Amino acid sequence: MTDSQRRPRRILRPALAAATALALLGAGLGLYLFQPWKAFTDTTVNEALPAPAALASSVPGPTATNPAGATAAAPAGPVDLARGSFQSGEHATTGTARLVRLADGTAVLRLENLATSEGPDVRVYLSALPAARSRLHALGDKPLGLDKLKGNHGNQNYAIPAGTDLTAFNSTVIWCERFSVSFGAADLTAV
């Protein structure tokens, strides 16, 4: 073999190795971004509505502010503040969203009978926009991020930070951070 016949092989091997490395890197990046296996998996969560915190003492005694030790009225049960049904966005999404004030005064967003797709980095938000707009690639100004979606099926609760003005929000949105798309949204109509 002459030198001119050997040269193409020397050039071809590094080029093939580089192309293979780029293809593997691209495949790895694609798997990381799209997580295609989530199209075939489901996570079901069935949480009960949170119960009020237990009282510090079960037997009331006299205090400086309550010298007779009289018992206070039992706190009221959970109260629905707003609710709405999910509208599909980029993925078929059904279920109900409820804003609930608990007996201890805290508020939670409760998702009931939720059914949507799994995806990479899916989160739950409250949005000032109505569902018809927030499900179309927008969360609006100052959305309130509550947490990562716990499961794509079932019933789940998301704590709302104390002091949040709930009247500032018109919808809840299941939002994919990675691709900036809404899986679905529900208008929160006062009850």
Side-chain angles (χ1 to χ4, degrees), residues 24-38 119-121 178-179:
L24 289 173
L25 181 64
L29 183 62
L31 287 172
Y32 169 76
L33 287 176
F34 292 99
Q35 299 179 3
W37 56 89
K38 289 195 173 187
D121 203 15
R178 178 135 331 130
F179 296 106

Coordinates of all heavy atoms in Angstrom, one line a residue, residues 24-38 119-121 178-179:
L24 N -23.7 10.5 20.2 CA -24.0 10.1 21.5 C -24.3 11.2 22.4 O -25.2 11.1 23.3 CB -22.8 9.3 22.1 CG -22.6 7.9 21.5 CD1 -21.3 7.2 22.0 CD2 -23.8 7.0 21.8
L25 N -23.6 12.3 22.3 CA -23.9 13.5 23.1 C -25.3 14.1 22.8 O -26.0 14.4 23.7 CB -22.8 14.6 22.8 CG -22.9 15.9 23.6 CD1 -22.8 15.6 25.1 CD2 -21.9 16.9 23.1
G26 N -25.6 14.1 21.5 CA -26.9 14.6 21.1 C -28.0 13.7 21.6 O -29.1 14.2 22.1
A27 N -27.8 12.4 21.6 CA -28.8 11.4 22.1 C -29.0 11.6 23.6 O -30.1 11.6 24.1 CB -28.4 10.0 21.7
G28 N -27.9 11.8 24.3 CA -28.0 12.0 25.7 C -28.7 13.3 26.1 O -29.5 13.3 27.0
L29 N -28.4 14.3 25.4 CA -29.0 15.6 25.6 C -30.5 15.5 25.3 O -31.4 16.0 26.0 CB -28.4 16.7 24.7 CG -28.9 18.1 24.9 CD1 -28.7 18.6 26.4 CD2 -28.3 19.1 24.0
G30 N -30.9 14.8 24.2 CA -32.3 14.6 23.9 C -33.0 13.8 24.9 O -34.2 14.2 25.3
L31 N -32.4 12.8 25.5 CA -33.0 12.0 26.5 C -33.2 12.9 27.8 O -34.3 12.8 28.4 CB -32.2 10.8 26.8 CG -32.2 9.7 25.8 CD1 -31.2 8.6 26.2 CD2 -33.6 9.1 25.7
Y32 N -32.2 13.7 28.1 CA -32.3 14.5 29.3 C -33.5 15.5 29.1 O -34.3 15.7 30.0 CB -31.0 15.3 29.5 CG -31.1 16.4 30.6 CD1 -31.2 16.1 31.9 CD2 -31.2 17.7 30.2 CE1 -31.3 17.1 32.9 CE2 -31.3 18.7 31.1 CZ -31.4 18.4 32.4 OH -31.5 19.4 33.4
L33 N -33.5 16.2 28.0 CA -34.5 17.2 27.8 C -36.0 16.7 27.6 O -36.9 17.2 28.3 CB -34.2 18.1 26.5 CG -33.0 19.0 26.6 CD1 -32.8 19.7 25.3 CD2 -33.3 20.1 27.7
F34 N -36.2 15.7 26.9 CA -37.5 15.2 26.6 C -38.0 14.1 27.5 O -39.2 13.9 27.6 CB -37.6 14.7 25.1 CG -37.4 15.9 24.1 CD1 -36.2 16.1 23.5 CD2 -38.5 16.7 23.9 CE1 -36.1 17.2 22.6 CE2 -38.4 17.7 23.0 CZ -37.2 18.0 22.4
Q35 N -37.1 13.3 28.1 CA -37.5 12.2 29.0 C -38.6 11.4 28.4 O -39.7 11.3 29.0 CB -37.8 12.8 30.4 CG -36.6 13.5 31.0 CD -36.9 14.1 32.4 OE1 -38.0 13.9 32.9 NE2 -36.0 14.8 33.0
P36 N -38.4 10.8 27.3 CA -39.5 10.1 26.5 C -40.1 9.0 27.3 O -41.3 8.6 27.1 CB -38.8 9.6 25.3 CG -37.3 9.6 25.6 CD -37.1 10.7 26.6
W37 N -39.4 8.4 28.3 CA -40.0 7.3 29.0 C -41.2 7.8 29.8 O -42.1 7.0 30.2 CB -39.0 6.7 29.9 CG -38.3 7.7 30.9 CD1 -38.8 8.0 32.1 CD2 -37.2 8.4 30.6 NE1 -37.9 9.0 32.7 CE2 -36.9 9.2 31.8 CE3 -36.3 8.5 29.6 CZ2 -35.9 10.1 31.9 CZ3 -35.2 9.4 29.7 CH2 -35.0 10.2 30.8
K38 N -41.3 9.1 30.1 CA -42.4 9.6 30.9 C -43.7 9.5 30.1 O -44.8 9.6 30.7 CB -42.2 11.0 31.4 CG -41.1 11.0 32.5 CD -41.1 12.3 33.2 CE -40.2 12.1 34.4 NZ -40.2 13.3 35.2
G119 N -44.3 14.7 32.6 CA -43.3 15.4 31.8 C -42.1 15.8 32.7 O -42.2 15.7 33.9
P120 N -41.1 16.4 32.0 CA -40.0 16.8 32.8 C -40.3 18.2 33.4 O -40.8 19.1 32.8 CB -38.9 17.0 31.7 CG -39.7 17.3 30.4 CD -41.0 16.6 30.6
D121 N -40.0 18.3 34.7 CA -40.1 19.5 35.5 C -41.4 20.2 35.4 O -41.5 21.4 35.0 CB -39.0 20.5 35.0 CG -38.6 21.5 36.1 OD1 -39.0 21.3 37.3 OD2 -38.0 22.5 35.8
R178 N -39.5 23.2 31.7 CA -38.4 23.0 30.7 C -38.8 23.5 29.3 O -38.0 24.0 28.6 CB -38.2 21.5 30.6 CG -37.1 21.1 29.6 CD -36.0 20.2 29.9 NE -35.6 20.1 31.3 CZ -35.5 19.0 32.0 NH1 -35.8 17.8 31.4 NH2 -35.1 19.0 33.2
F179 N -40.1 23.4 29.0 CA -40.5 23.8 27.6 C -41.5 25.0 27.6 O -42.0 25.4 26.6 CB -41.1 22.6 26.9 CG -40.2 21.5 26.7 CD1 -40.2 20.3 27.4 CD2 -39.1 21.6 25.7 CE1 -39.3 19.3 27.2 CE2 -38.2 20.6 25.5 CZ -38.3 19.5 26.3

